[in-house]
Amino acid sequence: MKRTKTVIILIAIVALFGISLFYLWQKNQEDPITYTLESPTVETIIVKTVATGSIVPKEEVLIKPNISGVIEEIFIEAGEYVKQGDLIAQIKVIPNASTLTSAKNSIATNQTALQTAKINLQTQQSNYDRQKALFEKGVISANDFEGVNNSYLQTKQSVEQARINVNSANQNYDIIKTGTTSGLGSIAQTQVRATVSGMVLDVPVKAGNQVIEANNFNEGTSIASIADVKQMIFEGKVDESEVGKIKEGLPLEITVGAIENKQFEAVLDYIAPKGVAENGAVQFEIKGTLKKIDSTFIRAGLSANASIILNKAEKVLAIKEALVQYDEETKKPFVEVAIGDQKFERKDLELGISDGILVEVKSGISITDKIKVWNQLQGVPDYAQ
């Protein structure tokens, strides 16, 4: 029994030894790994972040009336160029009955005051003429005549003031009823004129629409919006994870989806000091002024993307970032450079900026070196091909 167990154990050992020899033989028959090589290149590396937004005018002016009423006629259309002072719209005033009645009563009151003042003036005129004749004959003294003269002048001034009040009441009545009056000339309130020169971007009202004047209690109805379309800016938003990387003065590269094969230069002018939560992330508003757009018409409101240039290195020695290895202990970067047929030598590197694909090499290798692709795929499964 013991002899049988011994024989079985010996057979198992011999079989295991044979399998090991066969495995080693088969392993020696496999082709050795052949590493491919890549060379450094001269590249321009740009590190940037992207913000989405739109193109809007730098300054957009809303034209609003200074009197309430109904639009009688509009003289402009969106897309037209206007100059400062050009007529935009005509307003027809619809007077308030209560205000109109109050204005009429004011006229009547002031006319009554004027008539009273005129009667007083006639009385003072007669007294003045009589006292003047007595003074010339030496019947009354100079002091007495001076008092009469002063009373006459005061009454005369009262008549002039009453006449002014009547004219003012009449003008106020005309303004309430028609929106204008004699003497206003080019500043007639029923005429709405452009306050700046530029292109009309929008006319949100039509003839027949009611409009409200701009005052301390109401911002008023916008009749038109005007802007200089040669001065445009990019307005967009960046994520809180990127806002710490940017600063005012950085260059922007603007691409507009509706304008193909065209890129616009801009400068970052503004970064919001306060973020706004949107869709679970905090966004910060940014603005950048576009430069040199005289030959291209950009419509206000077009969607655009802005590439914010964080760093840039032009015509530098670069390699793919995937070629870089890192020492397990020191964490310093290095590559393996070919020194013969599938023989490699380690060379430590000093790296610069990286865009995630290419990395700048400041020192360690030359452009003629051949670098080992150390992480190449050894085999691709059938389902992945």
Side-chain angles (χ1 to χ4, degrees):
M1 192 70 177
K2 292 182 178 180
R3 185 176 180 182
T4 302
K5 289 183 179 180
T6 302
V7 171
I8 293 173
I9 293 173
L10 290 175
I11 293 173
I13 293 174
V14 171
L16 184 61
F17 182 72
I19 292 172
S20 300
L21 290 177
F22 178 77
Y23 174 77
L24 293 174
W25 175 82
Q26 189 179 39
K27 196 72 175 174
N28 289 332
Q29 299 303 312
E30 294 180 359
D31 294 333
I33 298 175
T34 302
Y35 291 96
T36 58
L37 306 175
E38 289 191 9
S39 298
T41 56
V42 176
E43 305 283 350
T44 294
I45 301 176
I46 301 175
V47 181
K48 59 187 178 182
T49 185
V50 178
T52 58
S54 59
I55 304 297
V56 297
K58 187 174 184 179
E59 294 182 357
E60 183 175 348
V61 178
L62 299 178
I63 307 300
K64 299 182 179 183
N66 52 11
I67 193 169
S68 299
V70 175
I71 297 292
E72 190 171 33
E73 188 175 0
I74 295 177
F75 302 99
I76 58 171
E77 292 182 355
E80 294 183 2
Y81 282 91
V82 295
K83 294 181 179 179
Q84 184 177 0
D86 286 353
L87 186 61
I88 289 179
Q90 180 78 30
I91 296 177
K92 180 181 178 181
V93 176
I94 308 296
N96 181 278
S98 176
T99 307
L100 195 62
T101 301
S102 177
K104 284 183 178 180
N105 294 336
S106 178
I107 292 175
T109 301
N110 282 287
Q111 285 177 340
T112 301
L114 177 60
Q115 293 299 326
T116 302
K118 285 182 177 179
I119 293 172
N120 291 335
L121 180 61
Q122 290 176 354
T123 302
Q124 291 294 333
Q125 181 73 49
S126 300
N127 186 38
Y128 173 78
D129 292 340
R130 184 172 58 255
Q131 294 298 324
K132 183 179 180 182
L134 294 174
F135 173 71
E136 290 175 348
K137 293 178 181 179
V139 177
I140 62 173
S141 66
N143 288 335
D144 293 337
F145 178 70
E146 186 67 25
V148 172
N149 184 51
N150 290 338
S151 179
Y152 169 71
L153 292 177
Q154 289 176 0
T155 304
K156 193 173 182 179
Q157 288 177 354
S158 298
V159 172
E160 291 301 321
Q161 184 61 50
R163 185 177 288 109
I164 291 173
N165 291 340
V166 170
N167 290 336
S168 177
N170 284 323
Q171 287 183 339
N172 185 51
Y173 175 79
D174 290 340
I175 291 174
I176 292 172
K177 185 177 181 180
T178 65
T180 186
T181 187
S182 59
L184 290 182
S186 61
I187 61 172
Q189 294 180 339
T190 55
Q191 293 181 344
V192 182
R193 298 182 178 274
T195 56
V196 295
S197 300
M199 176 182 282
V200 179
L201 300 181
D202 186 27
V203 183
V205 295
K206 298 180 180 179
N209 288 160
Q210 288 186 328
V211 294
I212 301 174
E213 64 180 294
N215 52 46
N216 293 336
F217 306 101
N218 196 304
E219 63 179 9
T221 305
S222 296
I223 294 179
S225 59
I226 301 175
D228 184 357
V229 293
K230 297 299 181 183
Q231 297 184 21
M232 306 293 279
I233 65 172
F234 170 82
E235 278 190 358
K237 294 180 180 180
V238 296
D239 190 81
E240 60 181 328
S241 62
E242 301 289 339
V243 73
K245 303 175 184 178
I246 62 177
K247 60 182 179 180
E248 286 87 352
L250 287 177
L252 305 179
E253 293 178 351
I254 309 296
T255 55
V256 181
I259 304 176
E260 297 181 356
N261 303 321
K262 187 74 174 179
Q263 193 174 74
F264 303 94
E265 295 182 357
V267 177
L268 184 60
D269 298 323
Y270 170 80
I271 304 172
K274 180 181 179 181
V276 179
E278 292 184 4
N279 300 323
V282 178
Q283 304 287 323
F284 289 81
E285 184 183 22
I286 64 170
K287 296 179 182 180
T289 303
L290 273 67
K291 301 185 294 185
K292 299 178 181 178
I293 61 170
D294 295 339
S295 60
T296 305
F297 175 60
I298 304 178
R299 298 182 184 277
L302 286 177
S303 298
N305 292 326
S307 296
I308 307 173
I309 310 302
L310 303 176
N311 207 341
K312 187 176 183 179
E314 296 185 355
K315 297 180 180 180
V316 295
L317 191 66
I319 61 174
K320 292 181 180 178
E321 194 158 352
L323 300 177
V324 181
Q325 303 180 59
Y326 291 89
D327 189 279
E328 293 183 358
E329 295 182 359
T330 64
K331 306 302 180 184
K332 291 184 178 180
F334 69 91
V335 292
E336 294 182 79
V337 176
I339 56 174
D341 186 18
Q342 293 297 300
K343 294 182 180 180
F344 302 95
E345 178 185 26
R346 169 174 167 166
K347 287 193 175 182
D348 294 330
L349 301 178
E350 181 184 357
L351 302 179
I353 66 172
S354 169
D355 61 3
I357 299 176
L358 297 175
V359 61
E360 176 189 4
V361 179
K362 293 185 175 181
S363 64
I365 58 173
S366 66
I367 196 169
T368 58
D369 287 334
K370 304 295 183 182
I371 302 171
K372 170 185 173 181
V373 182
W374 63 276
N375 57 353
Q376 61 188 358
L377 293 177
Q378 301 299 323
V380 181
D382 293 339
Y383 61 81
Q385 293 180 354

